[in-house]
Each structure stands twice: as structure tokens, then as C-alpha cells.
Amino acid sequence: MATLEAQRKWRRKNKFVKSQLNIMARKNVQDYLAEIADEHDLRGKGEAVAFAVYTTIALIQQGGFNDEAGRLHQLFTDAYHRDREIYAP
């Protein structure tokens, strides 16, 4: 755990570009984030979350003019809603 002064310094430095995200997630989600980070040469689970957001936004944007990307996004969305209890806290 970072010291109070280190936290204040980080917040002062990054207040306009970053915010801290502390989330509770199921163990399998934590494991998947670590796996994503490892497989894509990312710097950890935090960057894996950013990568997941990036890929989701890319699918949404591509879906605007690429029917297959739109179809895949809808399939993933429907599957997540169906299986949400497996992933959501």
C-alpha cells in the first residue's frame, strides 16, 4: 500500500488525466485479466482493463460500417447478459 504522501503526489500529478479505479471482481475475472495482460504484453491487470475497453470501443466503432463487427459485438453483449452472474461481482 502506498503511503499517504505518495498517494497525494500521484493525485496531484495525474488529477487531470487519470483517476484511481479500485474494483472488486470475481477470482476468475482477476485471472482472466492477468492472462490478457500476459498474452498481449501489457503491464498488468490495470492495463488489461484499459485494453478490454479499447477493444470494446473498437468493436462498437467498427460495427458502424462493418456488419461482421456489429454482429460480433451484439453476440458478445447478448452472451455477457446471459452469463452475467459468472463475471459480475
Side-chain angles (χ1 to χ4, degrees):
M1 189 76 175
T3 66
L4 186 57
E5 184 54 37
Q7 290 175 0
R8 286 184 184 137
K9 182 179 176 183
W10 184 90
R11 287 185 181 111
R12 271 194 312 271
K13 177 183 171 190
N14 296 294
K15 69 180 178 180
F16 296 115
V17 294
K18 295 182 181 181
S19 65
Q20 189 170 359
L21 175 64
N22 292 325
I23 61 167
M24 291 294 293
R26 293 183 183 263
K27 176 81 168 93
N28 65 333
V29 172
Q30 297 280 348
D31 294 342
Y32 290 144
L33 287 171
E35 184 179 326
I36 290 167
D38 187 50
E39 288 182 9
H40 294 89
D41 195 28
L42 304 174
R43 291 176 285 189
K45 292 187 284 186
E47 194 172 9
V49 170
F51 181 74
V53 170
Y54 174 83
T55 55
T56 301
I57 294 300
L59 267 177
I60 293 167
Q61 290 175 347
Q62 288 292 314
F65 56 87
N66 181 324
D67 291 340
E68 183 62 13
R71 188 182 74 78
L72 284 172
H73 178 252
Q74 192 59 54
L75 284 171
F76 296 149
T77 301
D78 294 344
Y80 176 80
H81 285 287
R82 182 186 62 238
D83 301 332
R84 155 183 274 160
E85 289 76 32
I86 297 170
Y87 302 101

